[in-house]
């Protein structure tokens, strides 16, 4: 019995490669690079937002600092008005102004707000 021999010209080539379509943009390297770009953009926006908040807080603080003299002057005018009204009321009730302190130095009064009527319930 004769031995089987290869055909004349040889056998056909065996296809051993996978015959799958091209995967497109969703390769692992592309996904990792896209995630890194997205994360970098998020960190950039976070840092710029924090810097903006710090700048707004600094601006607000300086605005308040520059308003302090105006508010102090307004409070002083109100105290002078109250002081003169108290002296006029004292002169009307007592006939003269009595000095409480032993100097001419102005002492800022301490006002305590009390209710007009006190109920004992």
């Amino acid at each position: 019995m004769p031995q089987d021999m290869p055909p004349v010209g040889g056998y056909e080539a065996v296809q051993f490669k996978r015959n799958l379509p091209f995967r497109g943009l969703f390769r692992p390297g592309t996904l990792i690079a896209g995630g890194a770009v997205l994360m970098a953009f998020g960190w950039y926006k976070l840092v710029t937002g924090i810097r903006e908040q710090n700048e707004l807080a600094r601006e607000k603080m300086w605005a308040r600092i520059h308003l302090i003299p105006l508010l102090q002057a307004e409070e002083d005018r109100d105290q002078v008005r109250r002081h003169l009204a108290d002296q006029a009321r004292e002169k009307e009730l007592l006939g003269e102004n009595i000095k409480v302190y032993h100097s001419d130095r102005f002492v800022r009064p301490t006002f305590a707000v009390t209710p007009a009527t006190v109920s004992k319930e």
Side-chain angles (χ1 to χ4, degrees), residues 42-56:
W43 278 105
Y44 169 75
K45 293 298 277 184
L46 177 74
V47 169
T48 54
I50 289 172
R51 286 182 182 165
E52 180 73 18
Q53 283 182 345
N54 288 345
E55 185 62 33
L56 289 175

Side-chain angles (χ1 to χ4, degrees), residues 83 98-110:
H83 180 67
I98 299 173
K99 289 188 176 183
V100 180
Y101 302 103
H102 298 295
S103 69
D104 292 333
R105 186 174 66 88
F106 177 75
V107 178
R108 174 176 284 184
T110 304

Side-chain angles (χ1 to χ4, degrees), residues 77-113:
R77 282 193 298 270
D78 186 47
Q79 282 190 357
V80 166
R81 181 187 59 78
R82 286 176 184 252
H83 180 67
L84 293 178
D86 284 344
Q87 282 191 346
R89 191 171 30 244
E90 182 180 318
K91 189 166 193 160
E92 180 183 323
L93 292 173
L94 301 176
E96 62 176 308
N97 288 335
I98 299 173
K99 289 188 176 183
V100 180
Y101 302 103
H102 298 295
S103 69
D104 292 333
R105 186 174 66 88
F106 177 75
V107 178
R108 174 176 284 184
T110 304
F111 292 106
V113 178

Side-chain angles (χ1 to χ4, degrees), residues 21-35:
F22 180 66
R23 291 178 61 160
L25 295 176
F26 300 111
R27 289 187 221 133
T30 308
L31 287 175
I32 290 173

